[in-house]
Amino acid sequence: MTGIVHLGIVAHLRGDPFRSASALEIIEDGALWVDGTGRIVKTGPRAAILAEADAIERVNHGSAWLLPGLVDAHVHFPQFYATASYGRDLLDWLERSIFPAEIALADEVLATEVAERFVARLLAAGTATAMVFGSQFLPANLALFEAAESAGLRLIAGMTMMDRGGPEALLKSPGEAREQCLALLDYCRGRPRLHYAITPRFALSCSEAMLELCGDLLREYPEAYLQTHINESQGELDAVARLFPQEADYLAVYERFGLVTPRTVLAHDIHVSDGQLARMAHAGCAVCHCPSSNFYLGSGLFPLARHLRHRIPVALGTDIGAGTHGSIWREAGESYKVQQLQGLTLDAAQLLYLATLGGAAALRLDHETGNFAPGKSADLFVLDPGASPYLSERLRRCECLEDQLFCLLHLAGEAEVAASWVGGVRACGRV
Ligand SMILES: [Zn+2]
């Protein structure tokens, strides 16, 4: 028999903790059995699993935690080295700092180097699945897909489409954009870990012809996703209202071109009306919340309770480069603070869900990843609090494992990620 048994504290969600109080499973002396094809066989107490899988190779992670690979549902590849750039607000920050960084990826050699480091950083943070805004340049996007495939990252990405509202070097006509999208859609075909996302930057960057192209592509290629931004900052909302005066609200712009579907992920959605939430729920789209980015740009407080009330799937995103780090684990801790400011207190199970199974469900990949259910891809990472003397002492003072998990969600980060496995294959060790 081939495969591997990981030993440690196993924690994951068996279901949605916003609907079930018993969704969180933590097994103290736990084992996670992965078969030779990289699929999960089962989890359970180590004594029981080892009795059954006695001839299988074991990896003992000691007192470290084994957690499902994280899902980062909103992050910009060309902004990898533009984090912590100065800007008064979203639109000023784009002009001043972000567009120049995106133009730099026209250089193929640089783009390949950045793609490899970008993918390595996500894996090193425990992320197994990422939905990524790609470059405006085809070679850079090919480099991104290649880097993800060779490192094992599950990637949903697409060319960032814009034909107005930015520097000439980043603009592509709908005709040029279509050609590049088709080449990348073709590249993803037959590669099970790569998915294409049609990626209009946002309403302000796209002419009606470009938005129309996005709708056409979505209908022609049902396997494709669509990702874009919505309702992020007040200045952006005002500009959208000026540019599309005939539309009732921001969502209506995307609806008019057929862009709001069950395979659509809308980032931010802070300044949203109940009417828009009801229409999003009806369309079956998902929303991605990026707390660090929202703090950084002063965009506002994400109304999670209202999204939950409308049963809209919500994922978390680091939103590099407005987000200042690459860790969805840390975003879960930040999301706690955003909700505390609005009177909603999230527990450990709910925070872990947003970072793992909830994110996978929002991306319609929960049949494949997000928890340790038998048959799923063995996407996991090892969180080792032993690396930090303070953290070890703090955890010793917790009354139960759930309290420890809650502490870890606030106090651990990339530095505590000891290793990642994606599809049962070791993706990286501590970097
Ligand atoms: Zn973004």
Side-chain angles (χ1 to χ4, degrees):
M1 250 194 299
T2 57
I4 190 166
V5 177
H6 294 276
L7 304 175
I9 303 171
V10 174
H12 72 138
L13 271 310
R14 289 175 298 203
D16 180 350
F18 291 101
R19 296 183 196 183
S20 156
S22 58
L24 177 64
E25 181 176 49
I26 305 179
I27 311 168
E28 183 162 18
D29 288 313
L32 172 63
W33 180 0
V34 178
D35 71 16
T37 68
R39 297 271 151 192
I40 290 162
V41 179
K42 57 169 78 169
T43 56
R46 76 177 62 185
I49 299 279
L50 290 180
E52 214 180 320
D54 61 342
I56 307 262
E57 182 194 343
R58 324 171 169 178
V59 182
N60 192 343
H61 300 285
S63 57
W65 290 63
L66 307 180
L67 296 147
L70 302 171
V71 177
D72 187 343
H74 186 76
V75 51
H76 294 255
F77 155 52
Q79 299 174 17
F80 185 53
Y81 285 119
T83 52
S85 298
Y86 180 79
R88 283 192 309 277
D89 57 17
L90 169 67
L91 301 181
D92 177 56
W93 169 81
L94 282 173
E95 287 284 338
R96 191 192 290 257
S97 308
I98 294 307
F99 290 150
E102 297 192 354
I103 290 170
L105 289 204
D107 178 332
E108 216 172 311
V109 175
L110 175 71
T112 304
E113 199 181 301
V114 175
E116 283 164 8
R117 290 187 183 171
F118 174 78
V119 166
R121 182 159 186 207
L122 292 181
L123 288 166
T127 293
T129 302
M131 188 172 209
V132 177
F133 271 59
S135 170
Q136 291 81 355
F137 306 104
L138 181 60
N141 286 330
L142 285 168
L144 174 65
F145 278 116
E146 278 165 22
E149 195 180 32
S150 74
L153 181 74
R154 183 179 292 99
L155 178 71
I156 306 168
M159 169 205 185
T160 295
M161 299 159 82
M162 49 195 294
D163 64 346
R164 67 173 166 184
E168 194 61 37
L170 294 179
L171 307 184
K172 297 268 185 297
S173 69
E176 289 171 297
R178 183 180 171 87
E179 238 168 73
Q180 186 175 144
C181 290
L182 295 188
L184 293 168
L185 274 157
D186 193 48
Y187 184 85
C188 292
R189 209 157 293 131
R191 301 173 196 261
R193 287 183 171 274
L194 304 183
H195 306 269
Y196 194 73
I198 298 152
T199 309
R201 179 175 213 121
F202 63 164
L204 296 179
S205 307
C206 296
S207 67
E208 299 198 356
M210 188 65 104
L211 293 169
E212 214 161 283
L213 165 66
C214 294
D216 291 346
L217 288 170
L218 206 49
R219 279 184 293 277
E220 286 170 46
Y221 297 90
E223 77 273 24
Y225 288 84
L226 186 132
Q227 59 177 341
T228 191
H229 299 90
I230 197 167
N231 294 327
E232 182 174 359
S233 75
Q234 197 52 55
E236 171 205 20
L237 261 69
D238 296 343
V240 170
R242 282 195 299 276
L243 206 54
F244 297 91
Q246 69 280 29
E247 304 303 342
D249 52 40
Y250 202 154
L251 184 67
V253 177
Y254 295 144
E255 285 172 329
R256 184 170 130 209
F257 297 98
L259 307 188
V260 188
T261 77
R263 295 183 72 78
T264 297
V265 180
L266 300 171
H268 303 306
D269 206 32
I270 297 164
H271 308 281
V272 61
S273 64
D274 280 325
Q276 287 180 81
L277 286 172
R279 279 149 50 209
M280 287 178 190
H282 182 71
C285 71
V287 162
C288 184
H289 170 37
C290 308
S292 295
S293 160
N294 298 163
F295 282 139
Y296 188 75
L297 293 174
S299 302
L301 301 177
F302 176 71
L304 177 63
R306 290 171 56 220
H307 284 77
L308 292 173
R309 221 173 294 136
H310 285 273
R311 300 211 159 186
I312 296 171
V314 174
L316 295 178
T318 56
D319 197 15
I320 286 173
T324 46
H325 59 82
S327 168
I328 282 299
W329 191 261
R330 286 171 65 189
E331 291 296 336
E334 294 302 290
S335 74
Y336 174 85
K337 297 170 192 164
V338 175
Q339 297 317 312
Q340 281 294 98
L341 283 166
Q342 300 172 86
L344 173 65
T345 301
L346 300 174
D347 61 24
Q350 291 163 338
L351 295 171
L352 183 61
Y353 177 77
L354 289 172
T356 57
L357 187 59
L363 300 183
R364 302 197 162 256
L365 289 170
D366 50 327
H367 59 285
E368 183 65 8
T369 190
N371 67 2
F372 296 142
K376 285 196 186 182
S377 173
D379 301 343
L380 62 130
F381 73 102
V382 178
L383 195 71
D384 183 8
S388 155
Y390 174 79
L391 201 47
S392 303
E393 281 303 310
R394 175 64 189 89
L395 294 179
R396 238 171 30 83
R397 288 162 171 78
C398 288
E399 282 183 8
C400 64
L401 287 169
E402 194 169 335
D403 287 352
Q404 287 194 15
L405 179 61
F406 185 79
C407 259
L408 286 169
L409 281 157
H410 290 287
L411 301 179
E414 296 100 311
E416 282 73 36
V417 176
S420 300
W421 275 260
V422 187
V425 176
R426 172 90 180 237
C428 78
R430 192 169 262 140
V431 292

